[in-house]
Amino acid sequence: MHTDKATRLQLLDLSLIQTRVFHLTWMAFFVCFFAWFACAPLMPVIRGDFDLTTKQIANINIAAVAITILVRLIIGPLCDRFGPRKTYTGLLLLGAIPVFGVASAQSYESFLFFRLLIGAVGASFVITQYHTSVMYAANVVGTANATAAGWGNAGGGAAQAIMPLVLGAVIMLGAGEALGWRVALLVPGVLMLVMAFLYWRYTQDCMAGNFSELHAAGALPGMDKKGGWKSFKLAAGNYRVWLLFITYGACFGVEIFMHNVVAIYFLDNFDMSLKTAGLVAGSFGLLALFARALGGWVSDQVARRGGLDARTKVLFVLMVGEGLGLLVFSVMDSFHLAVLSMLAFGLFTHMACGATYALVPFIDREALGGVAGIVGAGGNVGAVAAGFLLLWVGEVQQTLFILGSVVLISALCAIAVRFSAAHKVQEEALLQDALAQRSALAADNSAEYQA
């Protein structure tokens, strides 16, 4: 299962299974996040259609991320048991149902119910990180994880920018706003069904093949019917997992919270149209196109010189930058300064997310699914906590200021992650093996070219 992992990102060679998995997993993640946050930029219209109160909107935002906590906890072990290919396909197919359901909602209660269920597709992140982790070697896995996550995570930002345009196009065709937002929300549901087919058809679980075939051949002895539960127990007993659970709640949780409130925040505090607010909100999410990858790449590069401990230091610095940036953003009363400070703290936020999952594959290789699931759930716990904080405070700007302070305190958890000497030796050996394999491959390619 761990042999012949890719030692570099070859993004244009689709003959390689690693490349096909890389592209399809970030695309599936992109579609899931697009569907997850498709409602957020349309909330000003939906608010008027259902005559929603501020408290009801806060409840909807909490519902959107609450169920993801549970699903992320179980989705990683499901990957260990059934493989990421089956798990992702099933999530895409089942997740499309509430997306269509929210488009047909006729009341606040039914809208809240389907919005709650849509949150399950947020677990797509865990599968993406799992699948790239089993396809790429130690020298490049941080970059691969962060790049796939970043490109996929940009689906949230794309939803902020694109959904108001889709609504505008539907209205131009003659539909009213009340019907228009419902038609617009059919788009992500259809995309999820298409993606489910592509994932099932063109990916495989790991370099050795699909888990079902490997189970039958006895090639995965550690992953029997209880393999998923075993993975979860191993991960839950590792203190490093819970420290990263907190750090991810402080970076990805803030990111999700921003996705849900930033459009309305700019619309209510600055004089602009729904489309403009959507574009501004989208710019925050679209930072993920490069910022997550940058966080993972920096972690990989620094680790080559400083080892595993250097990865934790990178995460600490990025979280401090996020916390300070969020404090500055929360007190801005000028539109242009607010946008600039939002982009600055957003850069650190996305990079911190990438740096967190650059650490995940090294926590416990025997419980990768459990580790990825628990840490991923931490992000949603952070988002839910931020939502309840908003309910308690009652005002977004003050909530953001408090969150900035919380992020700074949470940064200490990154520094607290420690590894034993034996663990470091083992991971260093894997890293050197990957680098040697990469050098040998480069030498072979050079010899073939000269010949």
Side-chain angles (χ1 to χ4, degrees), residues 22-37 72 88 121-122 124-126 128-129 132 143-159 195 248 252 255 259 285-293 350:
F22 176 86
H23 285 301
L24 286 171
T25 200
W26 79 254
M27 290 170 64
F29 185 20
F30 183 99
V31 168
C32 285
F33 262 49
F34 188 94
W36 192 12
F37 294 109
R72 284 194 174 193
Y88 225 145
V121 303
S124 55
F125 166 74
V126 175
T128 290
Q129 298 295 271
T132 49
T143 304
N145 280 359
T147 304
W151 291 1
N153 199 50
M195 202 65 236
Y248 202 59
F252 186 63
E255 180 187 330
H259 279 311
L286 291 175
L287 285 170
L289 283 171
F290 71 92
R292 271 215 183 209
H350 288 294

Side-chain angles (χ1 to χ4, degrees), residues 77-411:
L78 285 177
C79 287
D80 279 328
R81 174 66 184 94
F82 298 105
R85 175 171 167 263
K86 284 184 177 179
T87 306
Y88 225 145
T89 302
L91 182 67
L92 286 161
L93 291 174
L94 293 175
I97 297 173
V99 175
F100 292 128
V102 79
S104 63
Q106 299 298 318
S107 65
Y108 159 70
E109 290 76 16
S110 60
F111 186 90
L112 179 67
F113 173 73
F114 286 118
R115 194 74 182 95
L116 173 70
L117 296 183
I118 288 177
V121 303
S124 55
F125 166 74
V126 175
I127 313 175
T128 290
Q129 298 295 271
Y130 185 100
H131 217 165
T132 49
S133 291
V134 298
M135 288 290 177
Y136 288 90
N139 68 304
V140 74
V141 68
T143 304
N145 280 359
T147 304
W151 291 1
N153 199 50
Q160 299 279 3
I162 293 174
M163 289 306 292
L165 301 179
V166 174
L167 173 60
V170 173
I171 291 175
M172 286 181 62
L173 293 175
E177 283 191 344
L179 175 62
W181 70 263
R182 299 175 186 278
V183 174
L185 286 174
L186 296 177
V187 174
V190 172
L191 290 176
M192 291 181 70
L193 296 179
V194 173
M195 202 65 236
F197 167 77
L198 294 176
Y199 212 87
W200 178 261
R201 177 67 178 82
Y202 295 107
T203 70
Q204 70 183 40
D205 289 325
C206 64
M207 294 304 303
N210 290 317
F211 279 19
S212 56
E213 301 160 1
L214 296 173
H215 278 303
L220 290 176
M223 289 300 166
D224 53 16
K225 291 183 179 180
K226 297 181 180 179
W229 174 239
K230 178 182 178 183
S231 169
F232 180 83
K233 287 196 298 181
L234 283 173
N238 191 324
Y239 83 94
R240 303 177 193 89
V241 174
W242 297 106
L243 290 174
L244 293 183
F245 176 94
I246 295 172
T247 64
Y248 202 59
C251 55
F252 186 63
V254 169
E255 180 187 330
I256 296 176
F257 180 73
M258 286 292 292
H259 279 311
N260 282 324
V261 304
V262 67
I264 291 181
Y265 175 76
F266 274 98
L267 193 68
D268 290 346
N269 289 275
F270 303 97
D271 186 19
M272 61 181 61
S273 66
L274 177 63
K275 290 182 180 179
T276 303
L279 290 172
V280 171
S283 65
F284 176 85
L286 291 175
L287 285 170
L289 283 171
F290 71 92
R292 271 215 183 209
L294 182 59
W297 179 82
V298 170
S299 183
D300 279 345
Q301 299 307 308
V302 174
R304 289 188 180 187
R305 299 177 180 87
L308 283 179
D309 288 340
R311 291 185 185 272
T312 65
K313 293 174 184 176
V314 167
L315 179 57
F316 171 76
V317 171
L318 292 174
M319 291 193 65
V320 169
E322 176 197 348
L324 293 175
L326 184 51
L327 289 174
V328 172
F329 171 68
S330 68
V331 297
M332 288 295 105
D333 55 6
S334 163
F335 169 71
H336 293 97
L337 291 178
V339 172
L340 288 175
S341 58
M342 178 192 73
L343 294 177
F345 107 77
L347 177 66
F348 282 102
T349 302
H350 288 294
M351 287 183 68
C353 292
T356 299
Y357 267 82
L359 264 169
V360 162
F362 304 98
I363 300 299
D364 189 339
R365 292 184 178 275
E366 299 304 315
L368 177 60
V371 175
I374 293 174
V375 175
N380 290 85
V381 170
V384 170
F388 279 114
L389 178 63
L390 175 59
L391 273 179
W392 176 62
V393 174
E395 199 269 326
V396 175
Q397 195 166 25
Q398 187 178 353
T399 300
L400 293 173
F401 184 86
I402 296 173
L403 285 176
S405 303
V406 172
V407 170
L408 288 174
I409 296 172
S410 300

